[in-house]
Amino acid sequence: MTSSKRVRDRSKQKRVHDLEIATEKWKIFSKIHLLMDALRSEPEHVAPIRTLDRYRCQINLPRPHKLSDFLRKSPKLFELYTDRRGTTWVGLTPEAEDLVEEEEKEIESNSDKAAEHVTRFLMMSVDKRLRVDKIAHFRRDLGLAMDFRHNWVRRYPDLFRVVKSFEDGVEYLELVGWKKEWAVTELERKVGGVCGDENSEHSPGMLSLAFPVKFPPTYKKLFRYGGKIEHFQKREYLSPYADARGGRLVAGSLEFDKRAVAIMHELLSFTLEKRLVTDHLTHFRQEFAMPQKLMRLLLKHFGIFYVSERGRRFHVFLTEAYEGSELVEKCPLVIWKEKVQTLIGYRGKKKNIETFKDLSDLEDNDLLDIESDDDKSLGELREGEIIGLDDDFCLDDAEMDLQDVHDEYKGCGTA
């Protein structure tokens, strides 16, 4: 039996069916969104279908499957036409055109909030600066504009600036001014009742806050690890916004791990869907002073986070943000995505399902058989947001292979 098979057959006590459904829905949406973006960049939003062939890998459509068949499954979003020469053209429907315009407006409306989140990224980093190409990984997750790297990063000179390294020419986004009202974690705001404002005397330091946890009803081992969970929740840790230099952190200590959990909690709180591809987090281990084996830490704190291993890349969820397979709080950009989802023709293999509303009826075994894979965003493909990273950053959770994941799920608790 292969490692991949063992991971898929892990105990159902640790598989959260609702979040697996959420993973599948967003993956299908991302493929459609990629093609919509590709057409949006074309003159009059129309192009020969062969020009979209370059995205086959990103939407997991190997030959001999036809791209035209893939597009025809969503007739409310894509129109296809074959001219006299036999060339098939594809364009966006009027309804899709309206959705594209709506998305642009929502991204613009979200711009200031996204700038706050990017600034807080920089405030949490050890050196108060991050590589632009690394932040670009979070473009869609934070609702940033498509021109993030070339124009958007220069729209907020009072918050950050772009600097270029003399050694290798790499561009960094550097913090310009510290915003003390933003140096308050989302957990402090919700649990501790701390309100960040300009007149606040709050200063980031040691915290002792319990993270919200949520376990699936089928999880039977809670009694075994209850003491460890309580011990972890009571332990003090350094705020993600406090200065981590000067020997204040001891790698491998429980305080070090809890601060890493706090940073991941904060990063996930900033995202639109309260979830991320795990290798996007591992890109920042050094900049945020987090453990090398970050994936192991995510799995260990099952209840605060949930890791879905569907596809080639794992996804991590902030469990408190979900009720079943739905987000508790939905921002306008998430609501926009759901509008697009209602127009997508479902792509299941085993069952004849017309829309996403029937997806929750699938069993776990059916979910494993659905067409599924991850893609890179169009912005990443065109602007080279991934290309150029060091090799250790390009590896997909290289610090932990599938057998390790299986062993962790099988053997570890939630200490």
Side-chain angles (χ1 to χ4, degrees), residues 174-227:
E174 187 174 77
L175 185 69
V176 170
W178 182 269
K179 305 279 285 186
K180 64 179 182 180
E181 64 269 26
W182 290 349
V184 180
T185 66
E186 294 300 306
L187 190 60
E188 288 179 274
R189 297 171 192 266
K190 293 179 181 179
V191 178
V194 179
C195 297
D197 58 63
E198 294 181 359
N199 300 319
S200 174
E201 298 298 327
H202 174 79
S203 178
M206 297 301 293
L207 299 174
S208 182
L209 297 173
F211 295 95
V213 294
K214 185 181 290 185
F215 297 97
T218 55
Y219 187 60
K220 305 297 183 184
K221 296 184 179 181
L222 187 58
F223 71 93
R224 183 182 303 179
Y225 303 111

Side-chain angles (χ1 to χ4, degrees), residues 67-78:
L67 184 57
S68 58
D69 291 340
F70 180 89
L71 294 169
R72 286 192 176 100
K73 289 181 180 179
S74 297
K76 295 181 179 180
L77 295 173
F78 303 106

Side-chain angles (χ1 to χ4, degrees), residues 228-242:
K228 292 182 179 181
I229 295 172
E230 183 179 4
H231 178 70
F232 172 80
Q233 295 282 37
K234 290 181 178 180
R235 183 170 293 277
E236 286 192 337
Y237 62 97
L238 190 65
S239 168
Y241 296 102

Side-chain angles (χ1 to χ4, degrees), residues 35-36 39 44-49 52 67-68 70-82 87-97:
L35 296 177
M36 290 176 67
L39 289 172
E44 300 183 8
H45 297 178
V46 176
I49 197 169
L52 299 182
L67 184 57
S68 58
F70 180 89
L71 294 169
R72 286 192 176 100
K73 289 181 180 179
S74 297
K76 295 181 179 180
L77 295 173
F78 303 106
E79 293 180 333
L80 287 89
Y81 165 76
T82 302
T87 301
T88 300
W89 295 75
V90 58
L92 296 174
T93 65
E95 194 166 3
E97 294 276 8

Side-chain angles (χ1 to χ4, degrees), residues 309-326:
E309 78 279 1
R310 295 191 48 69
R312 290 178 300 180
R313 305 162 82 187
F314 297 165
H315 292 74
V316 57
F317 288 81
L318 189 61
T319 57
E320 69 190 75
Y322 281 80
E323 190 62 47
S325 62
E326 298 293 325

